[in-house]
Amino acid sequence: MATFNGKTSSPSSASGIEEQMAPAGIRADKLAAVNLHAPPPFRWASLWEKPVINGLNGKSQTFPIFRFDNPYSRNFHFAWLGFFVAFLSWFAFPPLIPEAIKTDLSLTQAQIGNSNIVALSATMGLRLCLGPVVDRFGPRKVMAAILLIGAIPSGLAGTISSPAGLYTIRFFIGVLGATFVPCQAWTTAFFDKNIVGTANAFAGGWGNLGGGVTFVVQVSLFQSLVNRGLSSHSAWRAAFAIVPVPILVFVALLCIFLGTDCPAGKWEQRHTMPAAAIAMQQGHLVELDHDQQRVAQQKMSDKEQGKTEVQEVQDEDEHVANLHDIDVAVAEKPSWANTLKIARTPYTWLPALMYCTTFGFELAVDANLASVLFAAHKNLGQLNAGYYAATFGFMNVWTRPLGGIVGDLVGRRWGPAGKKYLTILLGTLQGFMSLALGLWQAHVYKTGGTPALGTQMGIVVVMAIFNEMANGANFSLTPHTSPYSNGLMTGLVGAFGNMGGVFFALIFRYCPANAFSQAWWISGIVAIVVNLFCIIIPAPKH
């Protein structure tokens, strides 16, 4: 069904609407001959060559990350950069908490744990709410708005004088974590099914890299300010004003003035691609808002005045293919009816549950690893503990992208079901590594020893590989689950990731500082059980 100007039309009577929506007036039932060639195989040269565009949906079928003269490359880089600076600012506290902030505010270990949980809680709710907002207004505007809003509490970090103030500021800075939703929705809007897992994984992985960079930047800047004569009390406060605030505002302005909403141009023009007309022909409900109606009416007026020409294609054209195999999904205006329909679909919860155990675990590790290492190895000091902890976040530069690449390769052979089992496998292996780390540390403590730093970090690195690859593979699967509500689905899965972050942070919160081994093995068991449970949840068919 198609809705236009408040009137509902059946697929058989929607040709007028379809002609308005299709570029150059091409009819929906004749669009099968438009660029239906199979996606090109991967070539290293495609990384710097011009993008290969699917003529139906306007999405790129290649990944030209080393070019900047096209909207596909530019918007990919804006997507990950926005998430990167948000992540850097969101996790700017943990590097300085073990020593500087803890001493200055006289924090207990429990209060540190509480502040980590508060920071994750705000993001969880906002990610869930932002999904429909992205579907309504587009990822570019939402990304810029979150960055600008998040810069305000980041600039007020220096006013903190008590644990309650720390909780409040970290809660509002937590809104920056919601940039994950427009980040993933933005790349999904520009890259086709054959490459979207890779694009999402690179954007998410390079964005998550901010969680590692912030450990190096914040502790190095803090130490530099102290060496220049500032007191510890003033140095950690100044660090927030020098780094997070300016970069948040700068990247927000880049998104506003240089970014693009979607391949069609403005967000209200997203239904003017041929894919939208095909979706109508297949019986999908397309509800146009006021701006979209204006664009469609203008196109119809141009056609009637002879400014555009209808290109007819013969039914017997040998290139006509099965349109159900083509990605024709375009983000729709959110509605309660559609939301309930998505919630009732079993595979909606498949990537959400898996992401809860993988990205949720990553968030908890990012927030606690420096404190864990500092508690076990007092001689490290805050600076070195932060550097070691940065390893977990830095690995995202290649681990999460690798998960997306493997997900796309598996998807070409086995479809969404293959992506499902790949994500389950990686999440389960992450669980076994966490379980092994916890049991090994418990054995060392039981015998009166101290865990060897090299062994501990070795296990953490292997665990990070499985964990971050699982995150990348997950978002090669997520675009298949509800393609017409990509923002809503991204927000739901992202919110579950944060819910997992709160859950795992609570585990670390209630484990004594001298027994963090319990947090590792408990987290491992949870990840194993939940991922194995996901085997019984069906995967999307297309």
Side-chain angles (χ1 to χ4, degrees):
M1 302 291 288
T3 301
F4 182 67
N5 280 342
K7 299 179 181 179
T8 301
S9 304
S10 65
S12 62
S13 64
S15 60
I17 301 172
E18 293 157 1
E19 289 182 1
Q20 296 177 60
M21 300 302 294
I26 301 176
R27 286 172 49 194
D29 59 340
K30 307 296 184 180
L31 287 172
V34 180
N35 190 21
L36 290 188
H37 300 294
F42 174 77
R43 297 167 48 251
W44 286 106
S46 67
L47 298 177
W48 56 83
E49 291 179 345
K50 292 182 179 181
V52 176
I53 308 303
N54 183 332
L56 290 172
N57 55 29
K59 296 183 179 182
S60 176
Q61 296 179 324
T62 56
F63 192 43
I65 56 175
F66 297 122
R67 292 185 72 99
F68 298 92
D69 60 351
N70 64 86
Y72 302 90
S73 303
R74 285 196 302 272
N75 289 291
F76 163 76
H77 288 296
F78 290 149
W80 78 259
L81 187 60
F83 187 39
F84 173 88
V85 297
F87 216 102
L88 187 150
S89 305
W90 185 22
F91 278 85
F93 277 97
L96 302 177
I97 278 181
E99 192 171 343
I101 298 177
K102 180 180 181 181
T103 302
D104 189 35
L105 300 180
S106 301
L107 300 174
T108 65
Q109 192 62 39
Q111 289 171 328
I112 293 174
N114 290 340
S115 74
N116 290 333
I117 294 168
V118 165
L120 297 176
S121 299
T123 307
M124 177 176 64
L126 192 57
R127 282 188 175 188
L128 190 60
C129 296
L130 275 183
V133 176
V134 169
D135 285 334
R136 176 65 181 85
F137 297 103
R140 177 182 65 91
K141 295 174 184 175
V142 175
M143 173 70 81
I146 299 173
L147 294 177
L148 292 174
I149 292 171
I152 298 172
S154 297
L156 295 174
T159 65
I160 298 173
S161 59
S162 66
L166 178 65
Y167 298 160
T168 302
I169 292 296
R170 292 202 69 183
F171 177 84
F172 286 105
I173 289 179
V175 304
L176 290 168
T179 51
F180 175 76
V181 179
C183 168
Q184 298 291 279
W186 209 350
T187 48
T188 299
F190 275 91
F191 293 93
D192 214 355
K193 276 185 176 180
N194 68 298
I195 201 72
V196 69
T198 299
N200 282 347
F202 267 89
W206 289 1
N208 284 349
L209 180 63
V213 172
T214 192
F215 277 89
V216 175
V217 170
Q218 288 296 87
V219 296
S220 299
L221 179 58
F222 168 80
Q223 196 62 49
S224 174
L225 293 173
V226 170
N227 292 340
R228 292 170 182 266
L230 282 182
S231 65
S232 175
H233 170 85
S234 300
W236 76 261
R237 299 166 191 276
F240 279 88
I242 294 174
V243 177
V245 177
I247 61 174
L248 288 171
V249 174
F250 176 70
V251 174
L253 294 177
L254 286 180
C255 294
I256 292 172
F257 293 109
L258 299 180
T260 312
D261 290 326
C262 63
K266 295 182 179 180
W267 190 246
E268 58 267 24
Q269 295 175 322
R270 65 191 184 279
H271 286 115
T272 62
M273 301 303 296
I278 294 176
M280 292 181 188
Q281 190 71 12
Q282 293 178 351
H284 181 75
L285 175 65
V286 176
E287 184 176 352
L288 308 183
D289 57 29
H290 175 73
D291 291 332
Q292 293 167 329
Q293 291 173 11
R294 177 176 50 78
V295 172
Q297 289 169 340
Q298 181 61 49
K299 291 178 71 64
M300 191 59 167
S301 175
D302 289 345
K303 177 184 170 229
E304 292 173 349
Q305 296 175 25
K307 295 180 181 179
T308 60
E309 186 176 315
V310 177
Q311 178 183 349
E312 297 289 352
V313 181
Q314 299 302 316
D315 287 333
E316 61 271 16
D317 193 298
E318 63 181 6
H319 296 292
V320 174
N322 182 3
L323 297 183
H324 290 281
D325 294 332
I326 303 169
D327 182 8
V328 298
V330 181
E332 298 296 346
K333 183 179 179 180
S335 67
W336 285 110
N338 188 49
T339 300
L340 292 175
K341 179 182 177 182
I342 293 172
R344 289 195 300 265
T345 305
Y347 56 67
T348 293
W349 307 102
L350 175 63
L353 287 173
M354 293 188 292
Y355 207 59
C356 183
T357 66
T358 56
F359 187 67
F361 181 71
E362 180 179 357
L363 289 177
V365 173
D366 279 337
N368 289 279
L369 187 55
S371 296
V372 169
L373 295 175
F374 187 74
H377 307 278
K378 296 291 186 183
N379 58 320
L380 272 182
Q382 175 181 267
L383 184 65
N384 289 324
Y387 286 156
Y388 277 107
T391 303
F392 200 90
F394 266 118
M395 291 181 64
N396 272 295
V397 73
W398 67 272
T399 50
R400 184 157 180 159
L402 180 60
I405 293 171
V406 175
D408 280 340
L409 293 174
V410 169
R412 292 174 190 175
R413 176 64 177 84
W414 292 286
K419 296 182 178 183
K420 163 191 165 179
Y421 287 108
L422 171 65
T423 309
I424 289 174
L425 173 64
L426 293 168
T428 303
L429 291 174
Q430 165 211 303
F432 276 115
M433 292 307 301
S434 182
L435 176 63
L437 177 60
L439 294 178
W440 169 72
Q441 285 188 340
H443 173 73
V444 172
Y445 285 131
K446 187 176 181 180
T447 57
T450 299
L453 181 61
T455 304
Q456 189 172 10
M457 288 305 301
I459 298 175
V460 166
V461 165
V462 177
M463 181 172 64
I465 293 174
F466 294 134
N467 168 259
E468 293 160 8
M469 282 188 67
N471 291 332
N474 192 305
F475 269 85
S476 70
L477 172 64
T478 299
H480 294 273
T481 53
S482 185
Y484 289 95
S485 299
N486 179 51
L488 174 63
M489 195 63 209
T490 302
L492 176 65
V493 176
F496 264 69
N498 265 88
M499 184 174 70
V502 172
F503 176 79
F504 289 115
L506 284 169
I507 295 176
F508 279 91
R509 158 69 174 80
Y510 286 103
C511 284
N514 60 350
F516 278 123
S517 57
Q518 294 179 18
W520 293 118
W521 66 257
I522 293 173
S523 298
I525 291 175
V526 171
I528 293 169
V529 171
V530 173
N531 278 279
L532 292 180
F533 169 78
C534 288
I535 292 175
I536 68 174
I537 303 177
K541 293 183 180 180
H542 301 288

